[in-house]
Amino acid sequence: MTVRRVLKMGEPLLGQVAAPVLRFDAELEALVRDMDETMRSLNGAGIAAPQIGVSLRVVIFEVADNPRYPHVSPVPYTVLVNPELTPLGEEQAEGWEGCLSVPGLRGLVPRHTRLRYRGVDLHGAPIDRTVEGFHARVVQHEVDHLDGILYPQRVRDMRDFGFEDALGTRMTPMPD
Ligand code: NI
């Protein structure tokens, strides 16, 4: 396992549409281990393969019970490969997001409140979940990475985008 360098906004690979995973092999396992170690080393809530320079449709996420974010419900550790998202209903909510590829900044981003996501796990076994709230937000943020979209592109009003240490009390802190 290796902590890999996280690509930063501006690097072209982060803007690419990632390719589907076709082989569930040792190479995929090694990729997920590196993503896992990299995410944990930076206390991230999730990471997508393109963020460590691999343009494949793989994301991982986990939000443990964290006293720093008492308003955020835990999200189980998930390896999600070749995901498909289906929003449920029209409702959207705004929330503050950060990203390991956009260090030090936060922005207010609208996301679908409820959605169904499908895909497969590391071994190709199906995943099919209906989720809401922060879980739904994390999945939308991570899957956006697979389509070359970073959250600042979804901020509606650039006055709601800035440095974490400058936003202060305007911002409800969320895990990255
Ligand atoms: Ni991100």
Side-chain angles (χ1 to χ4, degrees):
M1 287 202 287
T2 316
V3 173
R4 304 266 288 261
R5 182 180 76 85
V6 175
L7 276 62
K8 287 189 186 161
M9 185 169 67
E11 294 191 68
L13 193 141
L14 288 175
Q16 292 175 11
V17 175
V21 170
L22 303 176
R23 284 191 303 274
F24 295 82
D25 56 7
E27 203 175 323
L28 180 64
E29 285 179 27
L31 169 65
V32 169
R33 280 199 300 274
D34 285 359
M35 288 169 64
D36 200 82
E37 185 143 312
T38 304
M39 177 180 80
R40 287 176 201 286
S41 76
L42 297 167
N43 292 313
I47 195 167
Q51 291 182 274
I52 62 165
V54 177
S55 196
L56 285 174
R57 302 188 78 78
V58 182
V59 302
I60 66 173
F61 46 86
E62 176 181 38
V63 181
D65 226 343
N66 187 330
R68 282 172 63 208
Y69 311 110
H71 52 284
V72 172
S73 312
V75 179
Y77 176 74
T78 303
V79 177
L80 183 62
V81 178
N82 298 340
E84 306 259 0
L85 305 189
T86 311
L88 299 175
E90 296 298 308
E91 193 187 323
Q92 298 203 354
E94 293 206 307
W96 290 94
E97 296 188 10
C99 179
L100 300 178
S101 294
V102 193
L105 290 154
R106 297 276 164 166
L108 194 60
V109 181
R111 298 286 188 188
H112 296 285
T113 305
R114 294 186 76 236
L115 61 85
R116 178 181 183 186
Y117 66 90
R118 281 170 283 192
V120 295
D121 71 9
L122 184 55
H123 310 288
I127 294 173
D128 184 345
R129 291 181 184 153
T130 296
V131 298
E132 59 184 21
F134 192 69
H135 191 155
R137 176 172 298 280
V138 168
V139 175
Q140 289 169 90
H141 176 114
E142 296 310 329
V143 172
D144 262 357
H145 278 294
L146 307 183
D147 295 323
I149 297 166
L150 299 178
Y151 82 82
Q153 294 166 249
R154 296 209 183 268
V155 173
R156 281 195 182 132
D157 182 339
M158 290 310 283
R159 288 172 294 192
D160 296 325
F161 180 54
F163 290 94
E164 194 172 14
D165 54 6
L167 287 163
T169 54
R170 288 187 52 213
M171 180 193 69
T172 313
M174 291 284 192
D176 270 308

